[in-house]
Amino acid sequence: RQDPSHSPAQRGGASRDEKLAAARALKFLAFNATPEYKSGLIEAGLFRMLLQIMDDSGTAAEHAASCMYSMAREHQPSKLELLCVAAHRKLVEKLRSNAASKQLQLNACAALYAISCAGKPHVAKVVAEVELRDLTPLLNPPSAGREERTAQDEQMQLFAALFVVNLLHAKVKMEAYEAQSLLEGLGRAHDEAGEAQARDIINLGIKKLQKRLAKGGGGGKVPTSSLKRLSLSRGTSRKFDSSSYNTGSSTHSDGANPPSYGGEAFGGGGAEEVSPAPHFQKRKSGLFRKR
């Protein structure tokens, strides 16, 4: 803890077990770190080391992605440094990979969401690496009540929805059918979200897609049934870093203790507030004006 730069994972020839132990320890450090400590980890070269660990697709990579998420939560310097070292490219690679475990994909999606909260000028870097069509299946996990639906599916659906909403703030090109698929996916994610704040965020993305389709930006028309089902109230006006969403606990990538949607599902057990507006801490955005 005193000198994370001497972690075994940074030494040449570190074994897989050493990398796993280091990644797990760093994940816990990041989860509980103060902003000052996070800055120290950045200076020690934490993110470049995590990228090396993520060259593998095993459990160590799951911990590394989780560590990136914890670092980026409510810490703008971490978001910007992750973009600087192109961590978003590696995370997108893992999110798309069929070889990656479901937990690794979940952690990568969560980290990408947190990074996408860096600000509108920066989210374009993430958009350049992501195909929105790749996120559509993540918005549609197995129906609730079916045996194959897991807590990981639910959390993947939530983080994918929040991530999509952030990406929609950038200039994203899409066809009508893609916009329609995203609209349906966000509608389902909204209906199945267990937190009102999450629903408020997703509602912003729904309204953006509805507006685009209504203008014929995609050349498509929103089905009447969709409009009725997605006729939702406006989000609230709290202005906190929406990346404070937490996947449940610092052990969420261990698999033994899957996160729940109870009191600890967001904000580290209620210790942090979550913004329903993932508009990147833009205090005077038109999104927050009362009408």
Side-chain angles (χ1 to χ4, degrees):
R1 179 182 177 89
Q2 295 303 317
D3 191 356
S5 64
H6 289 129
S7 162
Q10 273 194 326
R11 298 198 306 263
S15 69
R16 175 168 292 188
D17 288 342
E18 285 181 316
K19 288 183 178 181
L20 176 60
R24 182 185 292 113
L26 288 167
K27 179 188 70 173
F28 279 99
L29 286 179
F31 183 80
N32 296 299
T34 63
E36 293 76 16
Y37 192 74
K38 286 183 178 181
S39 296
L41 288 172
I42 293 173
E43 292 176 3
L46 172 66
F47 292 141
R48 295 187 185 279
M49 179 176 63
L50 292 178
L51 287 174
Q52 293 177 5
I53 293 175
M54 287 188 69
D55 285 337
D56 187 11
S57 293
T59 305
E62 295 175 4
H63 292 317
S66 176
C67 184
M68 289 182 183
Y69 169 70
S70 293
M71 287 290 293
R73 289 178 59 233
E74 295 197 318
H75 192 244
Q76 184 73 356
S78 288
K79 294 177 176 67
L80 298 181
E81 184 65 19
L82 283 165
L83 287 169
C84 182
V85 300
H88 57 294
R89 294 177 184 171
K90 177 67 72 174
L91 291 167
V92 169
E93 175 188 319
K94 296 301 181 182
L95 186 62
R96 289 175 174 170
S97 174
N98 293 327
S101 66
K102 183 180 291 187
Q103 189 64 57
L104 176 53
Q105 291 177 320
L106 168 59
N107 293 354
C109 188
L112 284 166
Y113 162 65
I115 293 170
S116 72
C117 292
K120 195 170 183 178
H122 305 289
V123 75
K125 296 179 182 178
V126 182
V127 170
E129 304 296 331
V130 178
E131 293 286 345
L132 284 177
R133 67 172 68 94
D134 293 337
L135 299 177
T136 302
L138 305 181
L139 299 172
N140 295 281
S143 300
R146 291 175 58 183
E147 184 177 350
E148 61 267 32
R149 183 182 174 98
T150 66
Q152 289 176 329
D153 291 323
E154 293 176 351
Q155 290 219 312
M156 180 68 85
Q157 179 189 43
L158 174 62
F159 276 114
L162 300 175
F163 185 36
V164 166
V165 173
N166 276 2
L167 297 182
L168 290 175
H169 284 84
K171 293 182 179 180
V172 182
K173 295 181 180 180
M174 68 179 82
E175 299 295 331
Y177 72 91
E178 293 177 310
Q180 184 62 54
S181 296
L182 284 175
L183 180 63
E184 291 296 325
L186 287 182
R188 179 177 175 184
H190 173 276
D191 293 344
E192 297 180 356
E195 294 282 335
Q197 292 175 334
R199 292 193 294 272
D200 287 339
I201 294 177
I202 297 169
N203 187 29
L204 295 175
I206 289 172
K207 288 182 177 295
K208 274 188 168 292
L209 287 171
Q210 286 178 328
K211 185 176 180 180
R212 173 180 289 220
L213 288 169
K215 285 183 176 180
K221 184 177 181 181
V222 185
T224 304
S225 59
S226 295
L227 288 174
K228 288 181 179 179
R229 182 167 60 83
L230 300 175
S231 180
L232 310 170
S233 60
R234 292 184 179 275
T236 57
S237 59
R238 281 165 287 187
K239 301 181 277 294
F240 301 97
D241 181 355
S242 60
S243 68
S244 59
Y245 272 102
N246 179 26
T247 51
S249 71
S250 61
T251 61
H252 73 274
S253 65
D254 290 338
N257 299 304
S260 66
Y261 285 113
E264 294 182 355
F266 301 101
E272 301 163 352
E273 296 192 75
V274 181
S275 171
H279 202 47
F280 326 113
Q281 307 146 329
K282 195 170 183 180
R283 301 293 181 178
K284 296 183 180 180
S285 168
L287 289 171
F288 306 131
R289 296 184 189 133
K290 292 183 179 179
R291 299 174 181 174

